[in-house]
């Protein structure tokens, strides 16, 4: 480029050598101390390495981003104010919002996202050199209030720095000393950037590289930028011809020349250069990508020569880390990560939420369970288990009970509370957390440790910014401090780390060069991405501002055309191979349509060729092929799948690799014998002489249920108001009520004349039962919900009791038999073929004039079993309780009833037909003749004897009553390993 001034535009398609030519000219004027502007800070080091490889040594020149140049120009001007950080700017915006008088946006301003969205809009306006007076309405008032607040504090934000720098170059001769300027990687220029380029072009030689070819749809989004730069260049334009074919295979060169074109020349063969991957579900698709990555690395491709591009890193970060990490693929995700997404940040914020934002038990224990608390995991598990078992969740009670159980203080919490200054308290806490996790003896090592150190450093820097804000006289609430920590980010590793696959987004991928590219998200809805506009600044208003002020450059290109360009640049990054990746279906099997961009590429090549180089992984493909499995774990899973299709081949492979035992365990996992074999347990079962009726009824439901509930006996860690607790309180309430009725009201049963008095007594009994029967801590709302729901059921039960035609009266309650706590005459239990039965009868109603009666069993649910159901479903309680009534209590049984306490509260059971006059008013089908009645009772004894024999023999099976599939109400299926319906 000739000496002088003005702008020179280098244009052409991707890989035409524009940047290489620009760097060559930069090196050619090193004696004039040139300036090179790159898109991102991460590009600086990469370009420096490239220039050193060409020139050997660099003793002059400057490489940086636009912001670096803005900063230096503003600083050299001498009138620069202090610049607010992002956190300080957010606080100023919040202050401006609270001070401004709003009309249409008043309600929205109460929400946290309002200030975040407004900050982004204000940044756009300032970058576009738009003044508050050029706007109208609430946005104008907010913008003006924000600028007033900045002036009051005598501060600038970064956008005002940019404006000042551009204006200084345009208006001060000494602002620029004639140093040549080179820039590349900018397709969309802000008003401030354009103003600076325009001012520099009037002072010195400016060379700009722009990927553009006229009349190509792929470059439509750059048309305005090209036209503006062309006008500024005034004829100094160098159009470079296509050269991608010199560095890439024919298929990639063909793709570059004809992507999104209306017509295409004769297509070349793909020859594996462009490959199509289709997976089922996000996890399956990413595992398919990880497998290809691993194969490339194993075949000699350097990991740093592989680039994985995602439309949205935030959305797919967790799935990517899981899929790549599981297969051992080395990777580095480029970009920023919220501190709150790191282990350090999660622990820190958990404690702050508990202390300052009214958090609950899980917040405190989220911190204590982390390695940053200094407590062992086993100790914290013990503490939380005790608290969860009692449902302790109120913050004050959580701390008090934790300290009581520990017997010593939580020093980190005490120190935090003793520090009055919130910023200082967080600073001390963050240092203590890192010290607790890693100590002071040796430096932290490993990727996790590096991330924790970066997170702690980012927190320290943020606290410095907030302290500076306080020093300026600003206000900072605890809620704002937590919100600032939640928004804060840290920079991850460089995208070009040696030995790692780079993972980046579409925007950052534009300036990269690599051998292999994987482009993800080529399903409809993911790419092209949906536009995300500003709620404050619509497209019409943007265009209007651009018309009034050409330099604002606020109007955005059409979203689809912009996405076309990003897709084009992504496809032209590789020099060897391109993988296009899409989800063919969701995780639940619903089909997903391909992106129109996928179809555009497919249409450029023969359909048979595309099909040949398309690899699909269906939802049913749960494992890899054995010869392609990337890890030992996946090889073992593949071997198990092969064992189902070809057992002999699978066994042969297992023998060769020493996997016989693992294969046998996998093959028998769902068909192992369930019979108990432990000699100690069998001896214990054989020696048992007493069995609970309820236990045997559970065995009848499913012997595996009996084994898990009675032998394994798993417990839930969380104390909660469940069906068992509700049933226990209901039973205790009715016991108190009926046993206390004679003393309280002078009657043995409820009658309609004294019903209201009885209900008052029932309410008292319910309150007493809750007070004495609830061992977990309930909040006021939980307690009221429990009491009112139980009251509704019990009130209806007692009202129906008052209307019952039954002449029998309740006399005995909670009658226990077969245990040491039973009455002496009942302690031996019901004797049946060498064993005894134990249990508890809820209620016995007696004839006032004879030794006859019925048993009643309360059911806290809605189901009461009929005589037929008692027989078919092996309900043992009522038949066996009637034998207890006859043989132990000495009462002639007239029948037995199940009383449902909820629902329609029907009473069903087993009744003697000959006593129908004594027990009237029940379903006709429940009255049985003598032979049938006593026959069904005796059969219950036989069933009990059979079940006891199986228990003593350890005969446990997967035998749900009614056959498979297992009933939906059973929640033990995961332990007995039977597929659930």
């Amino acid at each position: 480029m000739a000496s002088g001034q003005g702008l020179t535009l280098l244009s052409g398609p991707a890989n035409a050598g524009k940047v290489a030519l620009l760097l060559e000219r930069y090196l050619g004027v090193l004696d004039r101390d040139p300036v090179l502007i790159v898109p991102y800070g991460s590009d600086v080091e990469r370009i420096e390495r490239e220039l050193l490889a060409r020139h050997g040594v660099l003793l002059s020149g400057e490489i940086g981003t636009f912001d670096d140049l803005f900063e230096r120009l503003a600083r050299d001007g001498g009138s620069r104010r202090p610049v607010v950080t992002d956190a300080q700017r957010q606080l100023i915006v919040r202050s401006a919002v609270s001070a401004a008088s709003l009309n249409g946006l008043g309600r929205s301003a109460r929400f946290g996202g309002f200030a975040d969205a407004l900050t982004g809009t204000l940044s756009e306006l300032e970058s576009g050199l738009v003044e508050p007076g050029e706007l109208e309405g609430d946005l104008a008032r907010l913008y003006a209030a924000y600028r007033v607040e900045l002036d009051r504090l005598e501060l600038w934000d970064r956008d005002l720095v940019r404006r000042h720098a551009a204006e200084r170059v345009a208006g001060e001769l000494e602002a620029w000393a004639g140093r040549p300027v080179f820039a590349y990687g900018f397709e969309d220029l802000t008003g401030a950037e354009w103003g600076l380029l325009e001012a520099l072009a009037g002072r010195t030689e400016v060379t700009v590289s722009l990927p553009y070819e006229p009349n190509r749809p792929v470059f439509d989004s750059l048309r305005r930028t090209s036209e503006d730069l062309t006008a500024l260049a005034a004829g100094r334009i160098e159009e470079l011809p296509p050269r991608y074919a010199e560095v890439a295979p024919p298929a990639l060169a063909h793709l570059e020349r004809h992507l999104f074109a209306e017509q295409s020349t004769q297509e070349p063969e793909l020859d594996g250069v462009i490959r199509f991957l289709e997976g089922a579900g996000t996890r399956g698709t990413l595992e398919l990508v990880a497998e290809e990555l691993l194969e490339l690395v194993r075949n000699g491709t350097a990991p740093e020569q592989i680039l994985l591009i995602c439309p949205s890193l935030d959305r797919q970060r967790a799935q990517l880390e899981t899929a790549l990490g599981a297969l051992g693929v080395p990777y580095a995700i480029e970009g920023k990560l919220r501190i709150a997404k790191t282990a350090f940040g999660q622990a820190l914020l958990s404690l702050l939420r508990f202390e300052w934002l009214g958090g609950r038990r899980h917040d405190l224990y989220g911190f204590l369970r982390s390695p940053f608390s200094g407590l062992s995991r086993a100790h914290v598990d013990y503490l939380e288990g005790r608290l969860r078992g009692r449902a302790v969740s109120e913050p004050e009670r959580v701390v008090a009970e934790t300290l009581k159980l520990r017997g010593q203080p939580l020093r980190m919490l005490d120190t935090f509370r003793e520090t009055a200054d919130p910023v200082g308290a967080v600073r001390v806490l963050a240092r203590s957390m890192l010290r607790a996790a890693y100590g002071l003896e040796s430096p932290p090592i490993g990727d996790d440790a590096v991330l924790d150190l970066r997170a702690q450093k980012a927190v320290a820097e943020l606290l410095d910014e907030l302290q500076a804000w306080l020093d300026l006289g600003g206000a900072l609430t605890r809620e704002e401090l937590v919100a600032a920590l939640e928004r804060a980010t840290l920079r991850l590793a460089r995208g070009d780390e040696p030995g790692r696959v780079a993972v980046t987004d579409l925007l950052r991928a534009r300036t990269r060069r690599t051998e292999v590219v994987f482009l993800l998200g080529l399903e409809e809805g993911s790419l092209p991405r949906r536009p995300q506009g500003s709620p404050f600044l619509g497209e019409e208003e943007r265009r209007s501002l651009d018309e009034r002020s050409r330099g604002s450059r606020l109007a955005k290109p059409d979203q689809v055309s912009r996405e076309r360009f990003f897709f084009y640049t992504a496809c032209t990054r590789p020099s060897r191979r391109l993988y296009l990746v899409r989800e063919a279906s969701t995780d639940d099997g619903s089909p997903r349509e391909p992106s129109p961009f996928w179809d555009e590429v497919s249409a450029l090549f023969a359909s048979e060729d595309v099909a040949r180089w398309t690899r699909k992984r269906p939802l049913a493909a749960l494992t890899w092929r054995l010869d392609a499995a990337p890890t030992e774990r996946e090889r073992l899973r593949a071997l198990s799948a092969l064992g189902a299709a070809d057992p002999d081949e699978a066994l042969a492979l297992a023998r060769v690799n020493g996997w016989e035992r693992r294969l046998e365990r996998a093959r028998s996992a769902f068909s192992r014998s369930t019979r108990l074999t432990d000699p100690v347990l069998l001896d214990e079962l054989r020696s048992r002489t007493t069995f609970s009726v309820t236990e045997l009824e559970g065995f009848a439901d499913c012997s595996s249920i009996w084994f898990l509930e009675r032998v394994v006996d798993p417990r839930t860690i969380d104390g909660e108001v469940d069906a068992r607790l509700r049933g226990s309180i209901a039973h205790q309430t009715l016991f108190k009520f009926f046993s206390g009725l004679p003393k309280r009201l002078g009657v043995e049963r409820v009658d309609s004349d004294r019903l209201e008095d009885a209900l008052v007594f029932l309410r008292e009994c319910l309150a007493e039962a809750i007070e004495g029967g609830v061992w977990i801590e309930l909040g006021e709302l939980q307690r009221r919900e429990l009491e009112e729901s139980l009251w509704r059921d019990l009130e209806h039960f007692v009202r129906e009791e008052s209307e019952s035609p039954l002449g029998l009266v309740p006399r005995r309650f909670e009658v226990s038999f077969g245990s040491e706590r039973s009455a002496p005459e009942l302690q031996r239990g019901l004797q049946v073929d060498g064993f005894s039965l134990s249990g508890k009868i809820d209620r016995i109603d007696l004839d006032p004039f004879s030794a006859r009666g019925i048993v009643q069993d309360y059911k806290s649910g809605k189901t009461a079993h009929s005589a037929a159901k008692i027989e078919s479903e092996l309900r043992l309680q009522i038949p066996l309780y009637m034998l207890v009534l006859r043989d132990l209590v000495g009462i002639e049984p007239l029948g037995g009833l199940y009383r449902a306490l909820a629902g329609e509260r029907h009473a069903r059971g087993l009744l003697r037909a000959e006593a129908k006059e004594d027990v009237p008013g029940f379903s006709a089908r429940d009255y049985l003749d003598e032979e049938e009645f006593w026959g069904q009772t005796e059969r219950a004894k036989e069933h009990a004897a059979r079940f006891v024999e199986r228990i003593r023999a350890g005969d446990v099976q997967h035998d749900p009553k009614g056959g498979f599939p297992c009933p939906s109400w059973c929640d033990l299926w995961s332990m007995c390993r039977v597929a659930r319906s």
Side-chain angles (χ1 to χ4, degrees):
M1 175 178 168
S3 178
Q5 61 187 34
L7 184 139
T8 299
L9 176 62
L10 306 179
S11 69
N15 297 293
K18 302 181 297 299
V19 176
L21 178 59
L22 183 136
L23 295 180
E24 181 181 328
R25 292 183 177 177
Y26 173 85
L27 292 173
V29 292
L30 278 179
D31 57 327
R32 298 176 60 196
D33 195 20
V35 174
L36 175 60
I37 304 174
V38 298
Y40 300 105
S42 58
D43 293 320
V44 173
E45 185 177 343
R46 181 172 55 82
I47 291 297
E48 285 177 345
R49 291 198 301 269
E50 186 173 339
L51 290 174
L52 285 170
R54 294 184 180 202
H55 197 264
V57 63
L58 298 175
L59 297 178
S60 61
E62 178 183 348
I63 304 174
T65 63
F66 256 122
D67 276 343
D68 294 333
L69 184 56
F70 281 130
E71 177 74 15
R72 186 175 63 77
L73 287 169
R75 184 175 61 246
D76 292 347
S79 60
R80 178 178 179 271
R81 291 179 177 181
V83 180
V84 297
T85 65
D86 291 339
Q88 294 168 347
R89 184 179 195 181
Q90 193 72 22
L91 293 169
I92 293 174
V93 170
R94 289 175 180 269
S95 176
V97 169
S98 63
S101 174
L102 302 178
N103 295 321
L105 298 176
R107 292 185 177 180
S108 302
R110 294 176 299 175
F111 299 98
F114 183 91
D116 296 337
L118 178 60
T119 301
T121 301
L122 295 180
S123 179
E124 284 191 85
L125 292 171
E126 289 190 318
S127 294
L129 309 180
V130 176
E131 291 292 335
E134 300 178 61
L135 302 172
E136 298 176 351
D138 285 337
L139 181 58
R141 284 188 285 273
L142 287 168
Y143 190 7
Y146 170 72
R147 292 285 285 273
V148 167
E149 189 69 11
L150 281 176
D151 289 339
R152 183 183 70 82
L153 297 169
E154 297 184 349
L155 297 173
W156 277 348
D157 58 24
R158 296 193 185 281
D159 294 303
L160 287 176
V161 170
R162 294 166 185 148
R163 170 193 285 265
H164 175 72
E167 291 175 347
R168 180 168 177 262
V169 174
E172 299 179 17
L173 290 174
E174 65 276 11
W176 195 257
R179 301 168 64 188
V181 176
F182 300 84
Y184 79 94
F186 303 97
E187 290 78 38
D188 295 326
L189 294 167
T190 66
E193 291 168 347
W194 174 256
L196 180 60
L197 275 182
E198 197 172 27
L200 288 172
R203 298 293 189 87
T204 187
E205 308 100 285
V206 177
T207 305
V208 176
S209 166
L210 180 71
Y212 187 77
E213 281 185 295
N215 304 318
R216 283 194 65 183
V218 74
F219 296 113
D220 281 350
S221 63
L222 280 70
R223 182 180 294 117
R224 177 186 176 182
T225 303
S226 175
E227 290 173 352
D228 290 346
L229 289 172
T230 299
L232 188 60
R236 292 183 294 273
I237 303 171
E238 299 181 38
E239 296 183 358
L240 278 62
R243 295 179 56 190
Y244 195 24
E246 298 176 12
V247 295
L252 284 175
H254 178 75
L255 172 64
E256 189 278 320
R257 296 313 302 154
H258 301 285
L259 185 61
F260 299 115
E262 295 182 1
Q263 295 181 344
S264 174
T265 60
Q266 181 65 36
E267 67 273 2
E269 291 187 3
L270 285 171
D271 198 25
V273 171
I274 300 176
R275 304 190 182 196
F276 303 84
L277 303 181
E278 297 184 15
T282 302
R283 177 69 180 268
T285 303
L286 293 178
E287 285 182 346
L288 184 58
V289 170
E291 180 188 357
E292 292 284 343
L293 284 170
L294 206 57
E295 183 177 353
L296 285 168
V297 173
R298 287 174 174 172
N299 289 337
T301 303
E304 61 268 23
Q305 288 299 322
I306 303 174
L307 183 62
L308 199 156
I309 304 174
C310 301
S312 173
L313 273 179
D314 289 339
R315 185 175 65 86
Q316 291 187 295
R317 185 189 305 275
Q319 296 98 321
L320 278 166
E321 290 174 343
T322 300
L324 300 180
L327 298 187
V329 177
Y331 66 93
I333 297 180
E334 196 172 9
K336 293 183 178 181
L337 178 68
R338 284 186 182 269
I339 292 175
K341 294 292 183 68
T342 66
F344 180 87
Q346 288 172 355
L348 175 65
L349 287 166
S350 291
L351 183 58
L352 296 183
R353 291 189 192 101
F354 178 81
E355 284 293 292
W356 290 347
L357 304 184
R360 310 290 283 183
R361 180 191 63 234
H362 66 86
D363 292 307
L364 175 62
Y365 275 84
F367 166 74
L368 294 179
R369 183 167 280 104
S370 75
F372 306 100
S373 69
L375 304 181
S376 70
R377 182 68 177 265
H379 179 57
V380 176
D381 286 345
Y382 163 76
L383 295 174
E384 187 176 20
R386 297 294 297 272
L387 267 61
R388 288 175 64 177
R390 293 166 49 201
V392 178
S393 59
E394 293 297 326
E396 297 81 4
R397 294 281 299 139
V398 167
V399 174
E401 290 299 315
T402 298
L403 296 177
K404 182 178 177 182
L405 289 168
R406 270 178 54 81
Q408 54 184 308
L410 292 169
R411 301 191 184 282
M412 205 174 294
L413 181 62
D414 290 344
T415 303
F416 177 80
R417 290 180 168 181
E418 290 167 1
T419 308
D421 170 33
V423 173
V426 177
R427 193 187 304 278
V428 172
L429 175 62
R431 284 200 298 263
S432 301
M433 287 171 58
L434 205 62
R435 188 182 307 116
Y438 297 105
L440 301 174
E441 302 300 323
S442 58
I445 57 174
D447 291 344
D448 291 341
V450 170
L451 190 60
D452 290 336
L453 290 171
R454 286 176 175 168
Q456 194 273 340
K457 180 181 179 183
V459 169
E461 291 172 350
L462 174 63
L463 295 175
D464 289 341
E465 295 173 11
L466 297 178
Q467 185 60 54
W469 167 254
L470 292 173
D471 294 343
L472 288 170
L476 180 68
T477 66
R478 291 175 172 178
E479 291 78 7
E480 288 173 334
L481 175 51
V482 174
L485 285 166
E486 289 175 334
R487 287 192 303 270
T489 61
L490 59 90
R491 185 167 296 282
L492 296 171
R494 292 198 333 258
D496 56 350
E497 281 195 32
R500 294 179 182 268
V501 174
V503 183
T504 190
D505 56 24
L506 285 166
L507 197 61
R508 290 180 178 272
R510 296 171 303 155
T511 58
R512 301 293 298 276
R513 292 287 185 273
T514 187
E515 291 184 15
V516 181
V517 165
F518 287 79
L519 179 52
L520 278 60
L522 289 173
E523 57 274 344
E524 191 172 15
S526 296
L527 200 67
R529 295 165 292 185
R530 295 179 178 86
Q532 296 181 344
S534 165
F536 297 97
L537 204 59
E539 290 303 318
E540 288 294 332
E541 191 168 2
R542 290 174 185 272
R543 284 192 288 270
S544 176
L545 287 170
D546 276 0
E547 290 173 2
R548 297 199 299 268
S549 174
R550 180 64 179 172
S552 65
R553 309 182 69 85
L554 291 173
K556 301 297 182 183
D558 171 67
Q559 179 70 14
V560 174
S561 65
R562 181 179 172 86
E563 294 290 274
R564 280 201 204 104
F565 173 71
F566 286 147
F567 179 69
Y568 164 82
T569 57
C571 290
T572 55
R573 297 308 89 196
S575 61
R576 182 178 130 207
R577 187 179 298 173
L578 171 66
Y579 288 87
L580 301 179
V581 186
R582 80 176 184 95
E583 292 181 28
S585 69
T586 62
D587 290 312
D588 60 6
S590 302
R592 296 195 68 176
E593 294 297 319
S595 162
F597 296 170
W598 173 284
D599 293 334
E600 288 282 351
V601 176
S602 301
L604 294 176
F605 303 94
S607 56
E608 314 84 55
D609 208 13
V610 171
R612 183 181 308 115
W613 293 105
T614 298
R615 183 179 174 192
K616 300 181 180 182
R617 185 178 184 187
L619 198 61
L622 301 179
T623 63
W624 275 276
R625 298 189 323 273
L626 187 59
D627 59 343
T631 63
E632 182 177 1
R633 180 177 182 274
E634 294 302 332
R635 283 191 286 274
L636 289 170
R637 294 182 70 233
L639 181 69
S640 299
L642 178 63
D646 192 339
D648 294 336
E649 183 181 355
L651 183 58
L653 288 168
R655 286 172 179 164
V656 170
N657 292 279
W659 296 335
E660 301 100 316
R661 186 169 177 271
R662 293 184 177 185
L663 177 62
E664 183 57 34
R665 285 178 58 84
R667 292 173 64 177
S668 62
F670 288 95
S671 59
R672 291 181 194 161
S673 173
T674 54
R675 180 179 287 272
L676 304 182
T677 58
D678 182 75
V680 176
L681 177 58
L682 287 173
D683 287 344
E684 181 183 337
L685 294 177
R686 291 190 193 103
S687 65
R688 285 186 60 183
T689 58
T690 303
F691 295 85
S692 163
V693 174
T694 304
E695 172 187 5
L696 296 182
E697 198 170 89
F699 192 93
D701 287 337
C702 177
S703 56
S704 288
I705 291 180
W706 167 85
F707 171 70
L708 291 169
E709 289 187 340
R710 298 285 175 163
V711 180
V712 178
D713 193 20
R715 304 291 180 89
T716 177
I717 191 172
D718 288 305
E720 58 184 359
V721 180
D722 55 10
R724 180 172 295 183
L725 178 60
R726 293 171 60 87
S728 173
I729 296 173
H731 278 62
Q732 189 63 22
T733 301
L734 292 175
F735 167 73
K736 291 177 178 290
F737 175 74
F738 283 110
S739 61
L741 200 59
K743 183 177 180 180
R744 177 65 178 262
L745 300 182
V747 295
E748 289 189 300
R749 57 168 299 160
V750 181
D751 57 45
S752 56
D753 293 338
R754 305 293 303 277
L755 177 59
E756 294 306 319
D757 293 335
L759 291 177
V760 172
F761 180 47
L762 177 67
R763 175 70 86 167
E764 294 174 6
C765 293
L766 175 58
E768 290 179 14
I770 292 176
E771 186 66 30
V774 178
W775 45 269
I776 62 176
E777 295 192 8
L778 298 179
E780 181 62 27
L781 184 61
Q782 290 177 297
R783 182 186 180 89
R784 289 183 60 185
E785 189 278 332
L786 173 63
E787 183 171 356
E788 291 305 316
S789 60
L790 285 173
W791 170 252
R792 182 179 61 248
D793 292 337
L794 295 174
E795 179 190 10
H796 285 294
F797 180 84
V798 171
R799 288 185 182 276
E800 291 178 2
E801 187 85 11
S802 70
E803 299 170 358
S804 171
L806 195 65
L808 308 180
V809 295
R811 285 278 174 86
R812 303 187 64 172
F813 313 97
E814 303 289 331
V815 180
S816 171
F817 61 93
S819 71
E820 294 180 354
R821 291 180 294 178
S822 305
E825 68 275 13
L826 302 179
Q827 287 183 0
R828 62 190 180 93
L830 181 64
Q831 300 299 308
V832 181
D833 294 339
F835 63 91
S836 64
L837 293 173
S838 64
K840 184 182 288 185
I841 303 172
D842 290 335
R843 173 175 150 190
I844 300 175
D845 288 12
L846 300 177
D847 185 343
F849 308 106
S850 65
R852 299 190 305 165
I854 63 171
V855 297
Q856 295 202 35
D857 188 70
Y858 302 136
K859 293 297 180 186
S860 57
K862 301 178 181 180
T863 303
H865 305 287
S866 65
K869 290 289 187 180
I870 290 173
E871 176 79 1
S872 64
E873 296 187 6
L874 300 178
R875 300 292 99 187
L876 303 181
Q877 288 179 315
I878 287 298
L880 295 177
Y881 286 173
M882 288 191 295
L883 292 178
V884 173
L885 189 64
R886 183 190 69 183
D887 299 341
L888 297 182
V889 182
I891 301 294
E892 178 186 354
L894 302 179
L897 295 171
Y898 287 111
R899 300 291 302 276
L901 300 180
E904 297 181 358
R905 285 172 286 279
H906 291 309
R908 302 296 301 271
L910 190 61
L911 300 166
R912 293 168 64 182
E914 71 170 27
K916 189 171 184 179
E917 292 184 0
D918 297 305
V919 283
F922 300 101
S923 173
R925 295 183 180 181
D926 291 341
Y927 293 98
L928 305 181
D929 59 36
E930 290 298 292
E931 181 179 356
E932 193 175 0
F933 179 86
W934 293 112
Q936 187 166 331
T937 303
E938 290 300 319
R939 285 192 295 276
K941 287 176 60 177
E942 295 171 3
H943 292 317
R946 178 163 55 87
F947 296 148
V948 168
E949 182 180 359
R950 286 184 58 190
I951 289 174
R952 285 174 167 174
D955 183 13
V956 174
Q957 304 174 21
H958 295 317
D959 53 356
K961 184 172 55 188
F964 290 101
C966 293
S968 59
W969 50 263
C970 178
D971 58 359
L972 302 174
W973 57 274
S974 60
M975 285 182 275
C976 67
R977 295 183 298 179
V978 171
R980 189 173 183 177
S981 58

